[in-house]
Amino acid sequence: MRLFEFPGGVHPDDHKELTRSKPLEALSAPELLNVSMAQHLGAPAQPLVKPGERVLVGQKIGEPRGFISAAVHSPVSGKVKRLTQVPHPELGRCQAVLIENDGEDERGYQPPERPWSELEPKRLVELLAEAGVVGLGGATFPSHVKLSPPENKPIDTVILNGVECEPYLTSDHRLMLERPDDVVLGLKIVRSILGAKQALIAVESNKSDAAAKLSAKLIHGDSGIEIVVPRVRYPQGAEKQLIYACTKRRVPNGGLPMDVGCVVHNVGTAVAIRDALVDGRPLISRALTITGMGVDTPKNLLAAIGTPLSALVDACGGLKSGTVKVISGGPMMGIALGTLDQPMIKSTGGLLCLTASETFKPEQGPCIRCGRCIRACPMRLQPTLIAARTKLDDFDECLRIGARDCMECGCCAYSCPAGIPLVQYIKLAKSEIAQLQRRRKEEAR
């Protein structure tokens, strides 16, 4: 077997044994759901409903605002209680629609007018936009935008990302095991829309059962589709690293995968694309992992968008005493939460509940010039140098040495024996650079 890999990266303990063998468990929708209008990269959606209005399962309740935006749909049938504000893991607070579930599950969507294979690519993209499908690997980039590359950027390779390299998370693994036909069909639809000659399904070598399952679903008519097995390495699932590992093409600094003829979609997104274009079902639920030593019974769940995070944890037996931190996402790139009193959104791929023993924080010391952060950086940056210039408020120099190319994977901080929060310094530098450039742009007008 040929193993694919990229330069840099780290190999933290994955702790996936907590949930990798646990099938996806469908969670009943709660009595009240807060459906956020900010569930995707780009502009939040504009609410289309008013208090007192009845809504159906899959009915559009949020209209996209702008090119980079996505529609939002009701996960249940019921009554709109009110428009409100809810906490958001990245934005602080955002607008949401509070819906009272009537438990009738009255459907408000229909399959497309014809089978997907009889529709033009342009129509398929329109249907995906209507269905509010976004990338479920974490970025939540609207899928209809990713599937509409400009004419001067032809795509010859589609990569389906089944790597799931973040420690603890296993819901993508379960999707590949439990819905392999739908994963493969989603890939075929994407490949057809883009007219790509080659399609690769990347499954890390620690998920050989999923690779075998998907391989068994490829038949003789599936020429041009190949299973590739990258070596276990974080952040293997990052687009640029996965493209290099699979094709040896380097996405230029500041560039996009389309610049090297590639498009990458997550396996969960492929299933959502299949559901939208075969069943007509908008993106109203997703798979996610509730895990860590701080939750009573770690599980993989399939839950409705808008479900309170506290209900997800309760479905897993609740938090144990001694839980000190809850993270939305994985431990490397996730966001620590201040409260569970907020709704699940399309980007919620997992909740990580950690005890004190899992959150060891070394005492910070001076840099010892060991170079481990440089060897670990998958973007080939010098994190210790960027951090040093950040401490001096020298953000022009931070820009010159590539701070904006940092993908914030956290490999530098993870590998630093001095306990220096390198990625936090680089995040600060990126923020300051953005403000500096805005000020200079305004002054130049």
Side-chain angles (χ1 to χ4, degrees):
M1 177 186 293
R2 184 160 66 104
L3 291 177
F4 299 75
E5 57 187 338
F6 65 94
V10 295
H11 184 21
D13 292 338
D14 64 21
H15 301 284
K16 292 179 185 286
E17 70 281 358
L18 292 172
T19 53
R20 66 158 56 100
S21 62
K22 297 187 176 181
L24 288 164
E25 181 179 314
L27 183 66
S28 298
E31 293 182 0
L32 291 172
L33 299 91
N34 263 312
V35 185
S36 169
M37 293 294 104
Q39 308 219 28
H40 45 265
L41 192 71
Q46 174 70 38
L48 292 172
V49 292
K50 297 177 180 177
E53 191 173 332
R54 185 162 192 268
V55 294
L56 304 179
V57 177
Q59 178 180 330
K60 187 159 72 171
I61 60 173
E63 185 72 20
R65 288 193 291 194
F67 180 61
I68 308 294
S69 186
V72 177
H73 302 76
S74 174
V76 297
S77 60
K79 186 170 72 174
V80 175
K81 296 281 285 183
R82 61 178 177 272
L83 305 185
T84 184
Q85 294 281 321
V86 295
H88 187 283
E90 296 181 41
L91 303 178
R93 296 188 73 78
C94 65
Q95 192 171 31
V97 176
L98 178 63
I99 301 173
E100 184 177 43
N101 182 7
D102 63 14
E104 296 182 10
D105 289 330
E106 187 175 354
R107 184 179 296 185
Y109 61 89
Q110 300 293 331
E113 61 271 22
R114 296 201 301 275
W116 73 268
S117 57
E118 298 178 9
L119 297 172
E120 294 293 324
K122 181 180 178 183
R123 178 59 181 153
L124 295 173
V125 172
E126 290 173 352
L127 289 169
L128 288 176
E130 278 297 304
V133 177
V134 301
L136 297 180
T140 61
F141 194 84
S143 296
H144 66 281
V145 179
K146 189 179 271 191
L147 292 174
S148 305
E151 290 185 2
N152 64 343
K153 302 285 185 183
I155 304 299
D156 62 24
T157 301
V158 174
I159 301 175
L160 204 57
N161 183 354
V163 167
E164 199 170 48
C165 60
E166 268 275 4
Y168 287 93
L169 304 185
T170 58
S171 57
D172 281 354
H173 188 180
R174 294 309 310 180
L175 269 181
M176 290 187 284
L177 289 173
E178 297 176 36
R179 296 187 66 180
D181 291 297
D182 297 335
V183 170
V184 172
L185 181 53
L187 172 62
K188 290 178 180 177
I189 294 172
V190 170
R191 183 188 183 193
S192 174
I193 290 173
L194 295 168
K197 294 179 181 177
Q198 178 180 223
L200 308 173
I201 306 177
V203 184
E204 238 176 13
S205 58
N206 60 352
K207 305 175 189 66
S208 57
D209 52 351
K213 198 99 174 184
L214 292 168
S215 181
K217 298 300 177 183
L218 300 180
I219 56 178
H220 296 306
D222 295 328
S223 61
I225 300 180
E226 181 185 357
I227 307 288
V228 299
V229 183
R231 190 185 302 277
V232 176
R233 196 77 175 163
Y234 174 88
Q236 189 84 250
E239 283 189 335
K240 293 179 179 178
Q241 281 60 47
L242 190 58
I243 289 170
Y244 181 81
C246 295
T247 69
K248 297 301 179 233
R249 300 177 190 175
R250 290 186 186 275
V251 179
N253 290 347
L256 296 171
M258 69 173 70
D259 294 325
V260 294
C262 294
V263 161
V264 181
H265 276 287
N266 173 268
V267 291
T269 314
V271 171
I273 288 172
R274 178 266 169 212
D275 290 348
L277 297 180
V278 175
D279 300 332
R281 187 175 189 272
L283 182 52
I284 53 177
S285 64
R286 68 159 297 159
L288 75 166
T289 304
I290 313 300
T291 187
M293 298 303 290
V295 68
D296 185 74
T297 308
K299 293 181 179 180
N300 292 301
L301 297 177
L302 183 63
I305 303 297
T307 300
L309 300 186
S310 56
L312 300 174
V313 173
D314 289 345
C316 298
L319 294 178
K320 294 179 181 176
S321 62
T323 302
V324 298
K325 181 181 284 189
V326 178
I327 294 173
S328 176
M332 299 297 285
M333 294 189 74
I335 298 173
L337 301 174
T339 175
L340 291 178
D341 186 23
Q342 57 184 292
M344 167 184 163
I345 56 178
K346 293 176 183 177
S347 65
T348 310
L351 283 182
L352 181 53
C353 310
L354 300 175
T355 60
S357 64
E358 296 173 287
T359 56
F360 171 70
K361 185 178 179 182
E363 186 176 348
Q364 184 176 336
C367 175
I368 59 174
R369 304 291 191 269
C370 66
R372 291 186 190 179
C373 63
I374 297 172
R375 290 194 293 275
C377 178
M379 297 302 294
R380 319 320 286 159
L381 302 175
Q382 300 182 66
T384 185
L385 184 57
I386 298 173
R389 304 314 298 184
T390 301
K391 291 177 183 176
L392 297 173
D393 292 338
D394 188 356
F395 300 113
D396 282 318
E397 181 63 9
C398 289
L399 175 62
R400 193 190 70 78
I401 58 180
R404 286 199 310 178
D405 291 325
C406 172
M407 52 191 279
E408 303 176 12
C409 65
C411 288
C412 53
Y414 176 83
S415 60
C416 178
I420 300 172
L422 293 166
V423 69
Q424 282 76 17
Y425 278 118
I426 300 175
K427 286 182 179 181
L428 175 60
K430 290 172 69 175
S431 174
E432 292 292 336
I433 289 170
Q435 292 183 42
L436 189 63
Q437 291 183 323
R438 276 197 297 271
R439 283 199 300 272
R440 288 176 176 169
K441 192 174 181 180
E442 291 171 0
E443 290 169 1
R445 287 177 182 169

